[in-house]
Amino acid sequence: FVVKPVFGYRVNAFLAHAVPGDLPLFRKLRVGSALVSLAAIGLAYAACRNLWPHRPGLALALATVLAFHPQFAFLGAYLNADAYTIFAVTAVWYVLTRIHRHAALQPSMALALGIALGLVFLGRENGYAAFLLAAGYGIFLLRQQWATNGRRLALALAVFLLFPAVFYLHQY
């Protein structure tokens, strides 16, 4: 049995202690989930704008549906790791759409992709589908330009692998 990453809960705890006032701790612990849910909505909007820059209505529709979807609102309203995982997967999707919009894998985007995938690792296992999404798009990039994209994808992979390495080394 491997200990699951609890980074989402740590983010909630950090933010709860940063919230001023005399609210009960159980209410402050919900702030982190609410903030990462709002960030996920913003990233989903930006990702949709990357894919269809001349159709802002699509991005607004996606953000609206996401914001008012009952299950998403529920997850953003209480202490959980699911809201963080949704944020991390949305970050991967955003980075992939940005790479696609610019039709090139720049080193900065390879670094961003590695970090976003690392954040997914620190979430719940239900977010691991983002690894398949990134791998599929990575194959597409390799078919486009093997030499350049291969080195940059190796950078993304190396950055991503730092997250589990540090996590599991820290456990022992």
Side-chain angles (χ1 to χ4, degrees):
F1 181 74
V2 178
V3 177
K4 287 176 37 175
V6 292
F7 189 71
Y9 293 111
R10 290 180 181 172
V11 168
N12 283 321
F14 173 77
L15 291 172
H17 290 294
V19 173
D22 58 350
L23 287 171
L25 183 59
F26 76 92
R27 293 197 191 277
K28 289 182 177 184
L29 283 169
R30 297 174 178 179
V31 170
S33 293
L35 289 177
V36 295
S37 293
L38 290 173
I41 293 168
L43 283 173
Y45 174 85
C48 199
R49 288 301 306 261
N50 283 335
L51 293 174
W52 298 285
H54 302 297
R55 300 190 61 194
L58 287 175
L60 187 58
L62 173 63
T64 302
V65 167
L66 189 57
F68 291 103
H69 189 278
Q71 185 65 30
F72 186 79
F74 173 72
L75 289 173
Y78 76 98
L79 172 64
N80 64 82
D82 290 314
Y84 168 81
T85 301
I86 292 168
F87 160 75
V89 170
T90 307
V92 169
W93 183 52
Y94 167 74
V95 171
L96 291 174
T97 62
R98 187 169 164 129
I99 292 167
H100 190 74
R101 180 174 184 189
H102 295 288
L105 179 59
Q106 299 299 325
S108 61
M109 285 294 98
L111 181 64
L113 180 59
I115 291 170
L117 290 169
L119 293 176
V120 168
F121 169 78
L122 295 176
R124 295 206 32 199
E125 294 89 354
N126 55 357
Y128 289 2
F131 299 147
L132 298 175
L133 179 67
Y137 195 74
I139 291 168
F140 169 77
L141 289 172
L142 288 174
R143 290 186 64 202
Q144 301 291 16
Q145 193 176 21
W146 174 263
T148 303
N149 288 335
R151 286 191 301 272
R152 292 177 181 165
L153 283 171
L155 169 65
L157 183 62
V159 170
F160 160 67
L161 289 175
L162 287 175
F163 284 80
V166 169
F167 176 79
Y168 288 115
L169 290 175
H170 182 265
Q171 296 298 316
Y172 300 105

Short mmCIF file of all heavy atoms in Angstrom, two decimals, residues 78-124:
data_model
loop_
_atom_site.label_atom_id
_atom_site.label_comp_id
_atom_site.label_asym_id
_atom_site.label_seq_id
_atom_site.Cartn_x
_atom_site.Cartn_y
_atom_site.Cartn_z
N TYR A 78 -16.63 22.28 -0.01
CA TYR A 78 -16.21 21.61 1.23
C TYR A 78 -14.77 21.15 1.12
O TYR A 78 -14.18 21.15 0.04
CB TYR A 78 -17.15 20.45 1.58
CG TYR A 78 -16.97 19.20 0.75
CD1 TYR A 78 -16.22 18.13 1.24
CD2 TYR A 78 -17.54 19.08 -0.50
CE1 TYR A 78 -16.04 16.98 0.49
CE2 TYR A 78 -17.37 17.92 -1.26
CZ TYR A 78 -16.62 16.89 -0.75
OH TYR A 78 -16.44 15.75 -1.50
N LEU A 79 -14.19 20.77 2.22
CA LEU A 79 -12.80 20.33 2.27
C LEU A 79 -12.65 18.98 1.57
O LEU A 79 -13.28 18.00 1.96
CB LEU A 79 -12.34 20.19 3.73
CG LEU A 79 -10.98 19.56 3.96
CD1 LEU A 79 -9.88 20.42 3.38
CD2 LEU A 79 -10.75 19.31 5.44
N ASN A 80 -11.86 18.96 0.49
CA ASN A 80 -11.65 17.72 -0.24
C ASN A 80 -10.44 17.85 -1.14
O ASN A 80 -9.94 18.95 -1.37
CB ASN A 80 -12.90 17.37 -1.06
CG ASN A 80 -13.18 18.40 -2.13
OD1 ASN A 80 -12.60 18.36 -3.20
ND2 ASN A 80 -14.06 19.35 -1.84
N ALA A 81 -9.98 16.74 -1.66
CA ALA A 81 -8.86 16.74 -2.62
C ALA A 81 -9.37 16.71 -4.05
O ALA A 81 -8.59 16.88 -4.98
CB ALA A 81 -7.95 15.54 -2.35
N ASP A 82 -10.66 16.49 -4.25
CA ASP A 82 -11.21 16.44 -5.59
C ASP A 82 -11.15 17.79 -6.29
O ASP A 82 -10.84 17.87 -7.48
CB ASP A 82 -12.66 15.93 -5.57
CG ASP A 82 -12.74 14.47 -5.20
OD1 ASP A 82 -11.96 13.68 -5.76
OD2 ASP A 82 -13.58 14.12 -4.36
N ALA A 83 -11.46 18.86 -5.57
CA ALA A 83 -11.42 20.20 -6.17
C ALA A 83 -9.99 20.50 -6.64
O ALA A 83 -9.79 21.05 -7.73
CB ALA A 83 -11.91 21.24 -5.17
N TYR A 84 -9.02 20.14 -5.83
CA TYR A 84 -7.61 20.35 -6.22
C TYR A 84 -7.28 19.52 -7.46
O TYR A 84 -6.61 20.00 -8.38
CB TYR A 84 -6.67 19.99 -5.07
CG TYR A 84 -5.24 19.92 -5.52
CD1 TYR A 84 -4.48 21.07 -5.65
CD2 TYR A 84 -4.66 18.70 -5.87
CE1 TYR A 84 -3.19 21.01 -6.12
CE2 TYR A 84 -3.37 18.64 -6.33
CZ TYR A 84 -2.63 19.79 -6.44
OH TYR A 84 -1.35 19.73 -6.92
N THR A 85 -7.74 18.28 -7.51
CA THR A 85 -7.45 17.40 -8.65
C THR A 85 -8.08 17.95 -9.92
O THR A 85 -7.45 17.92 -10.98
CB THR A 85 -7.93 15.98 -8.35
OG1 THR A 85 -7.27 15.50 -7.17
CG2 THR A 85 -7.64 15.03 -9.49
N ILE A 86 -9.29 18.46 -9.83
CA ILE A 86 -9.93 19.08 -11.00
C ILE A 86 -9.11 20.26 -11.47
O ILE A 86 -8.88 20.44 -12.67
CB ILE A 86 -11.37 19.50 -10.67
CG1 ILE A 86 -12.25 18.27 -10.44
CG2 ILE A 86 -11.95 20.40 -11.76
CD1 ILE A 86 -13.60 18.58 -9.85
N PHE A 87 -8.63 21.06 -10.54
CA PHE A 87 -7.78 22.21 -10.90
C PHE A 87 -6.51 21.73 -11.62
O PHE A 87 -6.13 22.28 -12.65
CB PHE A 87 -7.41 23.01 -9.65
CG PHE A 87 -6.21 23.87 -9.84
CD1 PHE A 87 -6.28 25.05 -10.58
CD2 PHE A 87 -4.99 23.50 -9.31
CE1 PHE A 87 -5.16 25.83 -10.78
CE2 PHE A 87 -3.86 24.28 -9.49
CZ PHE A 87 -3.95 25.46 -10.23
N ALA A 88 -5.86 20.72 -11.09
CA ALA A 88 -4.60 20.24 -11.66
C ALA A 88 -4.81 19.67 -13.07
O ALA A 88 -4.02 19.94 -13.98
CB ALA A 88 -3.96 19.19 -10.74
N VAL A 89 -5.88 18.91 -13.26
CA VAL A 89 -6.17 18.35 -14.59
C VAL A 89 -6.51 19.49 -15.57
O VAL A 89 -6.08 19.46 -16.73
CB VAL A 89 -7.31 17.32 -14.51
CG1 VAL A 89 -7.80 16.91 -15.90
CG2 VAL A 89 -6.85 16.10 -13.73
N THR A 90 -7.23 20.47 -15.10
CA THR A 90 -7.56 21.62 -15.95
C THR A 90 -6.29 22.39 -16.31
O THR A 90 -6.17 22.91 -17.43
CB THR A 90 -8.58 22.54 -15.26
OG1 THR A 90 -9.70 21.76 -14.85
CG2 THR A 90 -9.07 23.64 -16.20
N ALA A 91 -5.33 22.44 -15.40
CA ALA A 91 -4.05 23.10 -15.70
C ALA A 91 -3.31 22.35 -16.81
O ALA A 91 -2.73 22.98 -17.71
CB ALA A 91 -3.19 23.18 -14.44
N VAL A 92 -3.34 21.03 -16.78
CA VAL A 92 -2.73 20.24 -17.85
C VAL A 92 -3.42 20.55 -19.18
O VAL A 92 -2.77 20.80 -20.20
CB VAL A 92 -2.78 18.72 -17.55
CG1 VAL A 92 -2.38 17.89 -18.77
CG2 VAL A 92 -1.90 18.38 -16.36
N TRP A 93 -4.74 20.54 -19.16
CA TRP A 93 -5.50 20.82 -20.39
C TRP A 93 -5.18 22.22 -20.91
O TRP A 93 -4.98 22.41 -22.11
CB TRP A 93 -7.00 20.67 -20.12
CG TRP A 93 -7.85 20.86 -21.33
CD1 TRP A 93 -7.71 20.26 -22.55
CD2 TRP A 93 -8.97 21.73 -21.45
NE1 TRP A 93 -8.68 20.70 -23.41
CE2 TRP A 93 -9.47 21.59 -22.76
CE3 TRP A 93 -9.62 22.59 -20.57
CZ2 TRP A 93 -10.58 22.30 -23.22
CZ3 TRP A 93 -10.73 23.29 -21.02
CH2 TRP A 93 -11.19 23.14 -22.34
N TYR A 94 -5.10 23.20 -20.01
CA TYR A 94 -4.77 24.57 -20.42
C TYR A 94 -3.39 24.61 -21.09
O TYR A 94 -3.22 25.22 -22.15
CB TYR A 94 -4.81 25.52 -19.23
CG TYR A 94 -4.18 26.85 -19.55
CD1 TYR A 94 -4.83 27.77 -20.36
CD2 TYR A 94 -2.90 27.16 -19.10
CE1 TYR A 94 -4.23 28.97 -20.70
CE2 TYR A 94 -2.30 28.35 -19.43
CZ TYR A 94 -2.98 29.26 -20.23
OH TYR A 94 -2.38 30.44 -20.57
N VAL A 95 -2.39 23.99 -20.48
CA VAL A 95 -1.04 24.01 -21.05
C VAL A 95 -1.03 23.34 -22.43
O VAL A 95 -0.42 23.85 -23.37
CB VAL A 95 -0.02 23.35 -20.10
CG1 VAL A 95 1.33 23.18 -20.77
CG2 VAL A 95 0.14 24.16 -18.82
N LEU A 96 -1.73 22.22 -22.56
CA LEU A 96 -1.79 21.54 -23.85
C LEU A 96 -2.46 22.41 -24.92
O LEU A 96 -2.02 22.45 -26.06
CB LEU A 96 -2.50 20.19 -23.73
CG LEU A 96 -1.76 19.12 -22.94
CD1 LEU A 96 -2.63 17.88 -22.77
CD2 LEU A 96 -0.43 18.77 -23.58
N THR A 97 -3.52 23.13 -24.54
CA THR A 97 -4.18 24.00 -25.52
C THR A 97 -3.30 25.19 -25.89
O THR A 97 -3.33 25.64 -27.03
CB THR A 97 -5.55 24.51 -25.02
OG1 THR A 97 -5.38 25.30 -23.84
CG2 THR A 97 -6.51 23.36 -24.78
N ARG A 98 -2.52 25.65 -24.95
CA ARG A 98 -1.61 26.75 -25.25
C ARG A 98 -0.51 26.29 -26.22
O ARG A 98 -0.13 27.00 -27.15
CB ARG A 98 -1.01 27.30 -23.97
CG ARG A 98 -0.20 28.54 -24.21
CD ARG A 98 0.14 29.22 -22.93
NE ARG A 98 1.22 30.14 -23.22
CZ ARG A 98 1.21 31.39 -22.88
NH1 ARG A 98 0.19 31.86 -22.21
NH2 ARG A 98 2.21 32.17 -23.17
N ILE A 99 0.02 25.10 -25.97
CA ILE A 99 1.02 24.53 -26.89
C ILE A 99 0.40 24.39 -28.28
O ILE A 99 1.01 24.76 -29.28
CB ILE A 99 1.52 23.16 -26.36
CG1 ILE A 99 2.33 23.34 -25.08
CG2 ILE A 99 2.35 22.44 -27.43
CD1 ILE A 99 2.57 22.03 -24.33
N HIS A 100 -0.81 23.90 -28.33
CA HIS A 100 -1.49 23.70 -29.62
C HIS A 100 -1.74 25.03 -30.33
O HIS A 100 -1.56 25.13 -31.54
CB HIS A 100 -2.79 22.94 -29.41
CG HIS A 100 -3.43 22.48 -30.67
ND1 HIS A 100 -2.92 21.42 -31.38
CD2 HIS A 100 -4.50 22.94 -31.36
CE1 HIS A 100 -3.67 21.24 -32.45
NE2 HIS A 100 -4.63 22.15 -32.47
N ARG A 101 -2.13 26.04 -29.59
CA ARG A 101 -2.41 27.35 -30.20
C ARG A 101 -1.16 27.94 -30.83
O ARG A 101 -1.21 28.54 -31.90
CB ARG A 101 -2.98 28.30 -29.17
CG ARG A 101 -3.28 29.67 -29.76
CD ARG A 101 -3.97 30.57 -28.81
NE ARG A 101 -4.29 31.82 -29.47
CZ ARG A 101 -4.75 32.86 -28.86
NH1 ARG A 101 -4.97 32.82 -27.56
NH2 ARG A 101 -5.01 33.97 -29.51
N HIS A 102 -0.03 27.77 -30.17
CA HIS A 102 1.21 28.34 -30.69
C HIS A 102 1.92 27.40 -31.66
O HIS A 102 2.96 27.76 -32.20
CB HIS A 102 2.14 28.74 -29.53
CG HIS A 102 1.56 29.84 -28.71
ND1 HIS A 102 1.47 31.13 -29.15
CD2 HIS A 102 1.00 29.84 -27.48
CE1 HIS A 102 0.90 31.89 -28.22
NE2 HIS A 102 0.60 31.12 -27.20
N ALA A 103 1.36 26.21 -31.84
CA ALA A 103 1.88 25.23 -32.81
C ALA A 103 3.35 24.90 -32.60
O ALA A 103 4.05 24.58 -33.53
CB ALA A 103 1.64 25.71 -34.24
N ALA A 104 3.79 25.00 -31.36
CA ALA A 104 5.19 24.67 -31.05
C ALA A 104 5.30 24.39 -29.56
O ALA A 104 4.60 24.99 -28.75
CB ALA A 104 6.11 25.82 -31.43
N LEU A 105 6.19 23.50 -29.23
CA LEU A 105 6.47 23.19 -27.84
C LEU A 105 7.72 23.97 -27.43
O LEU A 105 8.84 23.54 -27.68
CB LEU A 105 6.67 21.69 -27.64
CG LEU A 105 6.99 21.23 -26.21
CD1 LEU A 105 5.88 21.64 -25.26
CD2 LEU A 105 7.20 19.74 -26.17
N GLN A 106 7.50 25.13 -26.83
CA GLN A 106 8.60 25.95 -26.35
C GLN A 106 9.13 25.36 -25.04
O GLN A 106 8.38 24.69 -24.31
CB GLN A 106 8.14 27.39 -26.13
CG GLN A 106 7.62 28.07 -27.38
CD GLN A 106 8.67 28.16 -28.47
OE1 GLN A 106 9.85 28.33 -28.20
NE2 GLN A 106 8.23 28.01 -29.71
N PRO A 107 10.39 25.61 -24.71
CA PRO A 107 10.93 25.08 -23.44
C PRO A 107 10.10 25.53 -22.22
O PRO A 107 9.90 24.74 -21.29
CB PRO A 107 12.35 25.64 -23.38
CG PRO A 107 12.72 25.84 -24.82
CD PRO A 107 11.45 26.24 -25.51
N SER A 108 9.61 26.77 -22.23
CA SER A 108 8.81 27.24 -21.09
C SER A 108 7.50 26.45 -20.97
O SER A 108 7.05 26.16 -19.86
CB SER A 108 8.52 28.73 -21.23
OG SER A 108 7.78 28.99 -22.41
N MET A 109 6.92 26.10 -22.10
CA MET A 109 5.68 25.31 -22.06
C MET A 109 5.96 23.86 -21.68
O MET A 109 5.14 23.22 -21.03
CB MET A 109 4.96 25.37 -23.41
CG MET A 109 4.25 26.68 -23.67
SD MET A 109 2.86 26.96 -22.53
CE MET A 109 3.60 28.04 -21.32
N ALA A 110 7.13 23.34 -22.06
CA ALA A 110 7.52 21.99 -21.62
C ALA A 110 7.68 21.97 -20.10
O ALA A 110 7.22 21.03 -19.44
CB ALA A 110 8.82 21.56 -22.30
N LEU A 111 8.27 23.02 -19.56
CA LEU A 111 8.42 23.14 -18.10
C LEU A 111 7.04 23.25 -17.44
O LEU A 111 6.77 22.58 -16.44
CB LEU A 111 9.28 24.36 -17.78
CG LEU A 111 9.56 24.64 -16.32
CD1 LEU A 111 10.38 23.51 -15.71
CD2 LEU A 111 10.30 25.96 -16.17
N ALA A 112 6.16 24.08 -18.01
CA ALA A 112 4.81 24.23 -17.46
C ALA A 112 4.05 22.91 -17.51
O ALA A 112 3.33 22.57 -16.57
CB ALA A 112 4.06 25.32 -18.22
N LEU A 113 4.21 22.16 -18.60
CA LEU A 113 3.54 20.87 -18.71
C LEU A 113 4.05 19.90 -17.64
O LEU A 113 3.26 19.20 -17.01
CB LEU A 113 3.74 20.29 -20.11
CG LEU A 113 3.09 18.94 -20.38
CD1 LEU A 113 1.57 19.02 -20.17
CD2 LEU A 113 3.40 18.47 -21.79
N GLY A 114 5.37 19.87 -17.43
CA GLY A 114 5.93 19.00 -16.40
C GLY A 114 5.40 19.36 -15.01
O GLY A 114 5.06 18.49 -14.21
N ILE A 115 5.31 20.66 -14.72
CA ILE A 115 4.80 21.11 -13.42
C ILE A 115 3.32 20.74 -13.28
O ILE A 115 2.89 20.23 -12.23
CB ILE A 115 5.02 22.62 -13.25
CG1 ILE A 115 6.52 22.91 -13.08
CG2 ILE A 115 4.23 23.17 -12.07
CD1 ILE A 115 6.88 24.38 -13.15
N ALA A 116 2.53 20.99 -14.33
CA ALA A 116 1.10 20.66 -14.27
C ALA A 116 0.89 19.17 -14.06
O ALA A 116 0.04 18.76 -13.26
CB ALA A 116 0.40 21.14 -15.54
N LEU A 117 1.67 18.34 -14.76
CA LEU A 117 1.55 16.88 -14.56
C LEU A 117 1.98 16.48 -13.15
O LEU A 117 1.41 15.57 -12.54
CB LEU A 117 2.36 16.14 -15.61
CG LEU A 117 1.81 16.21 -17.04
CD1 LEU A 117 2.82 15.67 -18.03
CD2 LEU A 117 0.49 15.45 -17.14
N GLY A 118 2.99 17.16 -12.62
CA GLY A 118 3.41 16.90 -11.24
C GLY A 118 2.31 17.25 -10.25
O GLY A 118 2.10 16.54 -9.26
N LEU A 119 1.61 18.34 -10.51
CA LEU A 119 0.49 18.72 -9.63
C LEU A 119 -0.63 17.69 -9.70
O LEU A 119 -1.27 17.41 -8.69
CB LEU A 119 -0.03 20.11 -10.01
CG LEU A 119 0.92 21.28 -9.75
CD1 LEU A 119 0.33 22.58 -10.25
CD2 LEU A 119 1.28 21.38 -8.28
N VAL A 120 -0.84 17.10 -10.88
CA VAL A 120 -1.83 16.03 -10.99
C VAL A 120 -1.41 14.85 -10.13
O VAL A 120 -2.23 14.25 -9.42
CB VAL A 120 -2.03 15.59 -12.47
CG1 VAL A 120 -2.83 14.30 -12.55
CG2 VAL A 120 -2.70 16.69 -13.26
N PHE A 121 -0.14 14.50 -10.17
CA PHE A 121 0.35 13.39 -9.35
C PHE A 121 0.05 13.63 -7.87
O PHE A 121 -0.27 12.70 -7.13
CB PHE A 121 1.85 13.19 -9.53
CG PHE A 121 2.44 12.25 -8.52
CD1 PHE A 121 2.27 10.88 -8.65
CD2 PHE A 121 3.11 12.73 -7.41
CE1 PHE A 121 2.77 10.02 -7.69
CE2 PHE A 121 3.61 11.88 -6.45
CZ PHE A 121 3.44 10.51 -6.59
N LEU A 122 0.16 14.88 -7.42
CA LEU A 122 -0.06 15.20 -6.01
C LEU A 122 -1.54 15.20 -5.63
O LEU A 122 -1.88 15.40 -4.48
CB LEU A 122 0.57 16.54 -5.67
CG LEU A 122 2.09 16.58 -5.77
CD1 LEU A 122 2.60 17.99 -5.51
CD2 LEU A 122 2.74 15.59 -4.83
N GLY A 123 -2.41 15.00 -6.60
CA GLY A 123 -3.85 14.95 -6.33
C GLY A 123 -4.33 13.52 -6.21
O GLY A 123 -3.56 12.59 -5.98
N ARG A 124 -5.62 13.35 -6.41
CA ARG A 124 -6.22 12.02 -6.33
C ARG A 124 -6.00 11.24 -7.61
O ARG A 124 -5.80 11.80 -8.66
CB ARG A 124 -7.71 12.15 -6.05
CG ARG A 124 -7.96 12.78 -4.68
CD ARG A 124 -9.24 12.40 -4.09
NE ARG A 124 -9.62 11.07 -4.50
CZ ARG A 124 -10.85 10.61 -4.43
NH1 ARG A 124 -11.79 11.35 -3.97
NH2 ARG A 124 -11.13 9.38 -4.82
#
